[in-house]
Amino acid sequence: MLESLWTWALVTGLTLLVTYIFGTWTHNHFSKQNVPSLKPIPFLGNIAPIMFRTMSFPDLVSDIYSRLKGHKYGGLYQLMNPVLLLRDPELIKMVTVKDFEHFLDRQVPISEDAEPLFGKALLNLKGEQLTACTVLTGTQLLQNCLQNSGLSGQ
């Protein structure tokens, strides 16, 4: 009986240890890069308040933004995925304008199938669709994006 209890305790302990290691495997990404970050919860990252419905998404982003005060950027974790949050307007401008071609594919928060109009918005485009829309300017940009997305009404 005592042997089976020790075996059970050992197996349980090892299972918990492996589960914890798996749940925090990516949670040192920002510390390796010397990027300020918030301490995540295993498996849930920094979005636990959204998962448990104790905070809305805009409130969580505002809270994280304010907790990273004094830094130009910071890291957080969406579940186990590292996400970089930019706070400095100049950095944001550099990423969205000057170095735009390096940041083409982002996570798309709105599915084109679920929401046809907003799913085809400029911020939700990916890859070649996005590149085609950003090469043009002004009226050409609007006309081309509307034609490519099928919203032109023609």
Side-chain angles (χ1 to χ4, degrees):
M1 166 117 168
L2 191 56
E3 275 184 33
S4 65
L5 184 61
W6 280 107
T7 304
W8 184 85
L10 182 63
V11 168
T12 302
L14 285 174
T15 302
L16 289 173
L17 180 65
V18 168
T19 302
Y20 178 79
I21 290 171
F22 179 73
T24 59
W25 190 260
T26 61
H27 289 177
N28 62 352
H29 176 78
F30 292 117
S31 61
K32 287 180 182 176
Q33 309 294 327
N34 291 325
V35 172
S37 64
L38 304 176
K39 183 168 176 54
I41 296 172
F43 291 104
L44 299 178
N46 300 109
I47 64 165
I50 292 174
M51 303 288 284
F52 296 123
R53 298 182 182 257
T54 60
M55 192 179 282
S56 68
F57 179 73
D59 290 339
L60 179 66
V61 172
S62 178
D63 179 55
I64 291 170
Y65 186 85
S66 64
R67 288 169 54 193
L68 290 169
K69 189 174 184 174
H71 301 286
K72 291 184 175 191
Y73 53 87
L76 62 125
Y77 295 90
Q78 245 181 0
L79 302 175
M80 294 175 60
N81 301 318
V83 176
L84 188 67
L85 176 71
L86 302 178
R87 296 188 80 244
D88 182 48
E90 290 302 316
L91 262 177
I92 295 169
K93 183 190 273 187
M94 188 171 70
V95 167
T96 57
V97 178
K98 184 178 177 190
D99 295 328
F100 187 77
E101 66 274 2
H102 300 290
F103 298 94
L104 287 179
D105 292 333
R106 300 171 302 282
Q107 290 180 335
V108 179
I110 300 172
S111 165
E112 188 175 328
D113 297 330
E115 186 61 53
L117 180 62
F118 292 111
K120 294 178 181 177
L122 186 59
L123 288 174
N124 292 328
L125 296 179
K126 295 182 108 181
E128 291 179 18
Q129 283 181 318
L130 184 61
T131 305
C133 287
T134 57
V135 169
L136 304 172
T137 59
T139 308
Q140 289 177 327
L141 171 69
L142 182 60
Q143 289 173 349
N144 190 35
C145 287
L146 288 174
Q147 286 173 350
N148 286 341
S149 66
L151 297 175
S152 64
Q154 295 178 353

